[in-house]
Amino acid sequence: MIITSFEKSKKNKDMIKVFIDGEYSLTISEEDYLLLGLYEKKEVTQEELDLIKTNILMKDVRACAIKYLSLRLLSERELFEKLQLKGYDEEIINEVILDLKSIGYINDMIYARKFVYERLKLKPKSKKMLKMELKNKGIADEISDEVINNLEYDESVAIERLVKKRFGKYNLEDPRIIRKIYSFLLHRGFDYENIKAILKSI
């Protein structure tokens, strides 16, 4: 097999896309490309390619993944997208993610619980909105359902606290303030009738 061409990755200029016998084969860092002495028209064997993928690419992707995870907890999809943006091959990324899941570095259940806890502490939202946000993070429905269904969280209490905290200094009988309250709470996914009932009680 012969390296027929190479080109800089559009996603990451430090990565090189290698084409063998006219077909895309792999993406590797420019540093490793040079260290391995790869160049156009060089002959390579399948065994050499397999060694590059397992000994170099897997280590690179794994090191990068662990670096991301050391900075903050990530969902499986978030990590995949970050590694993909670095220019790594999907096949290698998936192998690394499977490996990291097997040793507990990635756990979407723990991620979902931590995400919901922090959201409710810093920026309370409705259960419906929390589930939507988890879905956007790539969390499976069965995981988000389990986390949210086991949640001890009274939305009526949350609405009352938010109204008092954010609008307590205003005249709550002013129609303009009422509109702002509805807009604010509806944006966070709370139910209209629930908001109405709490405002009435306040």
Side-chain angles (χ1 to χ4, degrees):
M1 298 184 293
I2 296 173
I3 297 176
T4 47
S5 63
F6 67 90
E7 63 182 48
K8 293 260 189 180
S9 170
K10 291 179 181 177
K11 291 180 180 177
N12 186 342
K13 298 300 181 183
D14 293 328
M15 304 293 284
I16 300 287
K17 297 176 78 172
V18 182
F19 295 80
I20 293 175
D21 293 338
E23 302 248 339
Y24 169 76
S25 179
L26 59 100
T27 301
I28 192 169
S29 73
E30 187 171 12
E31 182 182 0
D32 286 330
Y33 183 84
L34 296 172
L35 284 172
L36 290 165
L38 302 177
Y39 51 85
E40 274 189 60
K41 298 185 181 177
K42 178 175 180 175
E43 289 188 17
V44 289
T45 64
Q46 187 60 53
E47 187 180 6
E48 286 173 324
L49 274 180
D50 292 341
L51 282 172
I52 289 171
K53 286 183 178 180
T54 54
N55 291 353
I56 295 175
L57 289 179
M58 286 285 287
K59 285 180 182 177
D60 279 354
V61 177
R62 197 174 192 276
C64 187
I66 290 173
K67 182 181 177 183
Y68 282 135
L69 292 168
S70 69
L71 297 173
R72 71 179 181 90
L73 198 62
L74 296 169
S75 69
E76 183 178 333
R77 186 204 279 176
E78 284 179 324
L79 181 60
F80 180 89
E81 290 173 349
K82 278 182 172 291
L83 294 171
Q84 197 177 39
L85 279 173
K86 287 282 288 182
Y88 294 119
D89 287 339
E90 288 186 16
E91 181 185 349
I92 303 292
I93 295 172
N94 284 326
E95 285 185 48
V96 168
I97 285 177
L98 278 174
D99 176 47
L100 293 176
K101 281 174 71 176
S102 70
I103 58 176
Y105 270 71
I106 305 170
N107 187 316
D108 277 358
M109 178 64 79
I110 292 173
Y111 174 92
R113 285 173 181 157
K114 185 172 185 289
F115 178 87
V116 168
Y117 171 78
E118 289 180 349
R119 263 287 185 267
L120 295 182
K121 187 178 177 183
L122 302 172
K123 197 175 182 181
K125 295 187 176 183
S126 69
K127 290 182 178 181
K128 180 176 69 177
M129 186 65 76
L130 288 171
K131 182 172 180 179
M132 191 182 301
E133 288 190 341
L134 286 173
K135 191 178 186 69
N136 290 337
K137 298 286 183 183
I139 303 300
D141 286 341
E142 56 267 28
I143 292 177
S144 60
D145 284 341
E146 183 176 339
V147 170
I148 290 170
N149 290 340
N150 291 329
L151 198 61
E152 292 183 8
Y153 178 53
D154 189 328
E155 290 192 4
S156 296
V157 172
I159 290 171
E160 185 172 348
R161 284 177 181 166
L162 283 168
V163 170
K164 288 180 177 178
K165 181 180 177 182
R166 195 173 180 95
F167 301 95
K169 63 181 179 181
Y170 299 104
N171 177 9
L172 297 185
E173 293 182 359
D174 185 333
R176 292 174 302 170
I177 301 302
I178 294 293
R179 283 197 296 272
K180 285 183 179 180
I181 292 173
Y182 272 105
S183 176
F184 172 72
L185 293 172
L186 288 170
H187 185 68
R188 292 201 176 192
F190 292 108
D191 179 71
Y192 179 87
E193 291 301 325
N194 209 0
I195 298 169
K196 184 179 178 181
I198 297 302
L199 283 176
K200 188 176 180 181
S201 70
I202 293 175

